[in-house]
Amino acid sequence: SFPTRRSSDRVWGIGLAQKSKNIQVTAVDWAGVIPVTKRITQKHGVGNQFNFIEGDINEVNLGSGYDFATLGHILHSEGEARSKKLLKRVFDALAPGGVIAIQEFLANDDRSGPPVAMIFALNMLVNTDEGDTFTFPEISKWLEAVGFTETRQVDAPGPSPLILATKPK
């Protein structure tokens, strides 16, 4: 389990909350999504471990002092400029020593694949103003620019690894 007291997360926080009754999760999402998240957390028996912040993740007060934060498939829809600002906001919300975990469809360094990431990039081009898929070096550079260290990839179930980075103590 993660050494987490508070986690800034969306629905993915359910798994963390199930690992320990000591974990408190703050779910940040659009007002129309929060009622669904509340229902699902109750269904999984962890509703009392969740706090909810409704609104645009780029504008709401995220709070502070989090040990762990996740951005699950968020950056691709935000584009580069907004992603950089969001990473800075998450950095500021984390406690010293806190960790961010990012899951995204990652493109190869030369953007030649993998096919899922390239198809998704096309989807972002068609359906968003600035969305795209990014490479690990691109996201790493953004993380380091706002102050994160120890940027690394960890294999995870699914089409791409997790990207982890740490806020220095």
Side-chain angles (χ1 to χ4, degrees):
S1 81
F2 292 97
T4 304
R5 293 186 320 272
R6 295 180 65 201
S7 174
S8 172
D9 200 317
R10 294 171 29 157
V11 176
W12 291 15
I14 291 171
L16 288 172
Q18 289 174 324
K19 292 286 185 188
S20 172
K21 295 295 179 192
N22 295 324
I23 292 174
Q24 290 293 307
V25 178
T26 299
V28 181
D29 217 324
W30 299 106
V33 176
I34 293 292
V36 174
T37 305
K38 286 180 179 180
R39 188 176 72 244
I40 292 170
T41 61
Q42 292 298 328
K43 177 181 175 184
H44 289 279
V46 294
N48 63 333
Q49 292 173 255
F50 271 71
N51 302 299
F52 301 94
I53 299 175
E54 294 182 355
D56 184 334
I57 195 169
N58 292 300
E59 296 177 10
V60 296
N61 181 349
L62 298 177
S64 63
Y66 298 103
D67 297 309
F68 189 76
T70 65
L71 291 177
H73 297 284
I74 302 290
L75 301 182
H76 64 255
S77 62
E78 299 301 307
E80 182 177 347
R82 287 172 49 122
S83 291
K84 289 177 178 179
K85 289 178 184 175
L86 178 57
L87 293 173
K88 174 64 171 139
R89 287 173 47 77
V90 172
F91 181 87
D92 291 344
L94 284 168
V99 173
I100 185 173
I102 300 168
Q103 186 156 39
E104 285 289 341
F105 295 109
L106 292 178
N108 294 345
D109 292 356
D110 65 0
R111 293 189 158 290
S112 63
V116 170
M118 296 300 90
I119 292 168
F120 198 75
L122 180 59
N123 182 32
M124 292 295 95
L125 176 66
V126 171
N127 293 304
T128 68
D129 292 333
E130 298 181 37
D132 200 354
T133 55
F134 304 103
T135 66
F136 175 71
E138 287 173 316
I139 295 173
S140 295
K141 184 177 174 181
W142 304 343
L143 289 162
E144 291 164 7
V146 298
F148 284 102
T149 60
E150 301 175 49
T151 304
R152 60 225 182 255
Q153 291 184 56
V154 177
D155 287 333
S160 63
L162 288 175
I163 299 170
L164 302 178
T166 304
K167 181 176 179 174
K169 290 186 178 184

mmCIF file of all heavy atoms in Angstrom, residues 42-60:
data_model
loop_
_atom_site.group_PDB
_atom_site.id
_atom_site.type_symbol
_atom_site.label_atom_id
_atom_site.label_comp_id
_atom_site.label_asym_id
_atom_site.label_seq_id
_atom_site.Cartn_x
_atom_site.Cartn_y
_atom_site.Cartn_z
ATOM 1 N N GLN A 42 -19.661 4.848 -2.436
ATOM 2 C CA GLN A 42 -20.561 4.209 -1.464
ATOM 3 C C GLN A 42 -20.717 2.724 -1.781
ATOM 4 O O GLN A 42 -20.677 1.878 -0.880
ATOM 5 C CB GLN A 42 -21.924 4.905 -1.460
ATOM 6 C CG GLN A 42 -21.912 6.309 -0.909
ATOM 7 C CD GLN A 42 -21.477 6.385 0.545
ATOM 8 O OE1 GLN A 42 -21.721 5.488 1.339
ATOM 9 N NE2 GLN A 42 -20.808 7.478 0.894
ATOM 10 N N LYS A 43 -20.893 2.409 -3.059
ATOM 11 C CA LYS A 43 -21.050 1.012 -3.494
ATOM 12 C C LYS A 43 -19.848 0.169 -3.077
ATOM 13 O O LYS A 43 -19.994 -0.997 -2.704
ATOM 14 C CB LYS A 43 -21.227 0.966 -5.009
ATOM 15 C CG LYS A 43 -21.326 -0.422 -5.587
ATOM 16 C CD LYS A 43 -21.469 -0.382 -7.095
ATOM 17 C CE LYS A 43 -21.450 -1.782 -7.683
ATOM 18 N NZ LYS A 43 -21.489 -1.749 -9.150
ATOM 19 N N HIS A 44 -18.646 0.768 -3.115
ATOM 20 C CA HIS A 44 -17.424 0.046 -2.763
ATOM 21 C C HIS A 44 -17.052 0.191 -1.285
ATOM 22 O O HIS A 44 -15.978 -0.257 -0.871
ATOM 23 C CB HIS A 44 -16.274 0.490 -3.659
ATOM 24 C CG HIS A 44 -16.431 0.015 -5.063
ATOM 25 N ND1 HIS A 44 -16.101 -1.259 -5.458
ATOM 26 C CD2 HIS A 44 -16.907 0.626 -6.168
ATOM 27 C CE1 HIS A 44 -16.358 -1.409 -6.741
ATOM 28 N NE2 HIS A 44 -16.863 -0.282 -7.194
ATOM 29 N N GLY A 45 -17.907 0.815 -0.500
ATOM 30 C CA GLY A 45 -17.705 0.893 0.944
ATOM 31 C C GLY A 45 -16.649 1.877 1.404
ATOM 32 O O GLY A 45 -16.157 1.757 2.531
ATOM 33 N N VAL A 46 -16.314 2.853 0.567
ATOM 34 C CA VAL A 46 -15.270 3.806 0.941
ATOM 35 C C VAL A 46 -15.752 5.264 0.891
ATOM 36 O O VAL A 46 -14.938 6.185 0.974
ATOM 37 C CB VAL A 46 -14.003 3.627 0.062
ATOM 38 C CG1 VAL A 46 -13.351 2.276 0.327
ATOM 39 C CG2 VAL A 46 -14.325 3.810 -1.411
ATOM 40 N N GLY A 47 -17.045 5.456 0.778
ATOM 41 C CA GLY A 47 -17.588 6.812 0.660
ATOM 42 C C GLY A 47 -17.185 7.732 1.792
ATOM 43 O O GLY A 47 -16.959 8.930 1.578
ATOM 44 N N ASN A 48 -17.048 7.192 3.005
ATOM 45 C CA ASN A 48 -16.677 8.034 4.151
ATOM 46 C C ASN A 48 -15.207 8.456 4.114
ATOM 47 O O ASN A 48 -14.790 9.292 4.901
ATOM 48 C CB ASN A 48 -16.991 7.320 5.458
ATOM 49 C CG ASN A 48 -16.195 6.036 5.628
ATOM 50 O OD1 ASN A 48 -15.791 5.403 4.660
ATOM 51 N ND2 ASN A 48 -15.989 5.646 6.869
ATOM 52 N N GLN A 49 -14.433 7.900 3.191
ATOM 53 C CA GLN A 49 -13.023 8.263 3.067
ATOM 54 C C GLN A 49 -12.793 9.301 1.969
ATOM 55 O O GLN A 49 -11.660 9.683 1.709
ATOM 56 C CB GLN A 49 -12.182 7.015 2.757
ATOM 57 C CG GLN A 49 -12.123 6.018 3.904
ATOM 58 C CD GLN A 49 -11.439 4.740 3.491
ATOM 59 O OE1 GLN A 49 -12.090 3.732 3.280
ATOM 60 N NE2 GLN A 49 -10.133 4.789 3.355
ATOM 61 N N PHE A 50 -13.862 9.747 1.318
ATOM 62 C CA PHE A 50 -13.758 10.666 0.194
ATOM 63 C C PHE A 50 -14.251 12.058 0.540
ATOM 64 O O PHE A 50 -15.247 12.220 1.233
ATOM 65 C CB PHE A 50 -14.580 10.154 -0.999
ATOM 66 C CG PHE A 50 -13.816 9.241 -1.913
ATOM 67 C CD1 PHE A 50 -13.470 7.971 -1.510
ATOM 68 C CD2 PHE A 50 -13.445 9.662 -3.179
ATOM 69 C CE1 PHE A 50 -12.769 7.123 -2.350
ATOM 70 C CE2 PHE A 50 -12.739 8.823 -4.027
ATOM 71 C CZ PHE A 50 -12.403 7.553 -3.615
ATOM 72 N N ASN A 51 -13.529 13.041 0.036
ATOM 73 C CA ASN A 51 -13.949 14.438 0.007
ATOM 74 C C ASN A 51 -14.095 14.783 -1.470
ATOM 75 O O ASN A 51 -13.417 14.199 -2.318
ATOM 76 C CB ASN A 51 -12.898 15.341 0.660
ATOM 77 C CG ASN A 51 -12.630 14.926 2.089
ATOM 78 O OD1 ASN A 51 -13.523 14.943 2.916
ATOM 79 N ND2 ASN A 51 -11.405 14.534 2.366
ATOM 80 N N PHE A 52 -14.936 15.744 -1.776
ATOM 81 C CA PHE A 52 -15.216 16.053 -3.172
ATOM 82 C C PHE A 52 -15.058 17.540 -3.447
ATOM 83 O O PHE A 52 -15.510 18.366 -2.666
ATOM 84 C CB PHE A 52 -16.641 15.612 -3.530
ATOM 85 C CG PHE A 52 -16.858 14.141 -3.316
ATOM 86 C CD1 PHE A 52 -17.387 13.670 -2.120
ATOM 87 C CD2 PHE A 52 -16.512 13.231 -4.290
ATOM 88 C CE1 PHE A 52 -17.573 12.315 -1.913
ATOM 89 C CE2 PHE A 52 -16.689 11.870 -4.095
ATOM 90 C CZ PHE A 52 -17.233 11.412 -2.902
ATOM 91 N N ILE A 53 -14.401 17.837 -4.562
ATOM 92 C CA ILE A 53 -14.265 19.206 -5.038
ATOM 93 C C ILE A 53 -14.861 19.232 -6.437
ATOM 94 O O ILE A 53 -14.375 18.550 -7.337
ATOM 95 C CB ILE A 53 -12.792 19.666 -5.077
ATOM 96 C CG1 ILE A 53 -12.174 19.617 -3.677
ATOM 97 C CG2 ILE A 53 -12.691 21.073 -5.676
ATOM 98 C CD1 ILE A 53 -10.682 19.933 -3.651
ATOM 99 N N GLU A 54 -15.923 20.019 -6.586
ATOM 100 C CA GLU A 54 -16.590 20.129 -7.882
ATOM 101 C C GLU A 54 -16.033 21.302 -8.667
ATOM 102 O O GLU A 54 -15.857 22.387 -8.116
ATOM 103 C CB GLU A 54 -18.093 20.342 -7.690
ATOM 104 C CG GLU A 54 -18.806 19.174 -7.077
ATOM 105 C CD GLU A 54 -20.299 19.418 -6.949
ATOM 106 O OE1 GLU A 54 -20.785 20.537 -7.248
ATOM 107 O OE2 GLU A 54 -21.004 18.480 -6.534
ATOM 108 N N GLY A 55 -15.772 21.066 -9.946
ATOM 109 C CA GLY A 55 -15.370 22.161 -10.815
ATOM 110 C C GLY A 55 -14.226 21.788 -11.730
ATOM 111 O O GLY A 55 -13.797 20.638 -11.799
ATOM 112 N N ASP A 56 -13.734 22.783 -12.408
ATOM 113 C CA ASP A 56 -12.648 22.647 -13.368
ATOM 114 C C ASP A 56 -11.334 22.462 -12.606
ATOM 115 O O ASP A 56 -10.946 23.333 -11.815
ATOM 116 C CB ASP A 56 -12.600 23.897 -14.251
ATOM 117 C CG ASP A 56 -11.573 23.835 -15.354
ATOM 118 O OD1 ASP A 56 -10.567 23.115 -15.230
ATOM 119 O OD2 ASP A 56 -11.777 24.535 -16.358
ATOM 120 N N ILE A 57 -10.644 21.375 -12.866
ATOM 121 C CA ILE A 57 -9.391 21.077 -12.167
ATOM 122 C C ILE A 57 -8.353 22.178 -12.356
ATOM 123 O O ILE A 57 -7.445 22.334 -11.553
ATOM 124 C CB ILE A 57 -8.837 19.702 -12.604
ATOM 125 C CG1 ILE A 57 -7.765 19.209 -11.637
ATOM 126 C CG2 ILE A 57 -8.311 19.757 -14.031
ATOM 127 C CD1 ILE A 57 -7.368 17.776 -11.835
ATOM 128 N N ASN A 58 -8.506 22.961 -13.407
ATOM 129 C CA ASN A 58 -7.571 24.052 -13.671
ATOM 130 C C ASN A 58 -7.917 25.327 -12.905
ATOM 131 O O ASN A 58 -7.143 26.274 -12.931
ATOM 132 C CB ASN A 58 -7.527 24.354 -15.174
ATOM 133 C CG ASN A 58 -6.912 23.218 -15.947
ATOM 134 O OD1 ASN A 58 -5.767 22.862 -15.715
ATOM 135 N ND2 ASN A 58 -7.674 22.634 -16.845
ATOM 136 N N GLU A 59 -9.066 25.346 -12.237
ATOM 137 C CA GLU A 59 -9.503 26.571 -11.577
ATOM 138 C C GLU A 59 -9.821 26.414 -10.091
ATOM 139 O O GLU A 59 -9.650 27.360 -9.330
ATOM 140 C CB GLU A 59 -10.734 27.126 -12.299
ATOM 141 C CG GLU A 59 -10.445 27.538 -13.726
ATOM 142 C CD GLU A 59 -11.682 28.013 -14.469
ATOM 143 O OE1 GLU A 59 -12.736 28.212 -13.836
ATOM 144 O OE2 GLU A 59 -11.588 28.184 -15.697
ATOM 145 N N VAL A 60 -10.326 25.265 -9.658
ATOM 146 C CA VAL A 60 -10.742 25.104 -8.272
ATOM 147 C C VAL A 60 -9.541 25.090 -7.333
ATOM 148 O O VAL A 60 -8.419 24.797 -7.739
ATOM 149 C CB VAL A 60 -11.583 23.815 -8.069
ATOM 150 C CG1 VAL A 60 -12.872 23.886 -8.852
ATOM 151 C CG2 VAL A 60 -10.782 22.576 -8.407
#
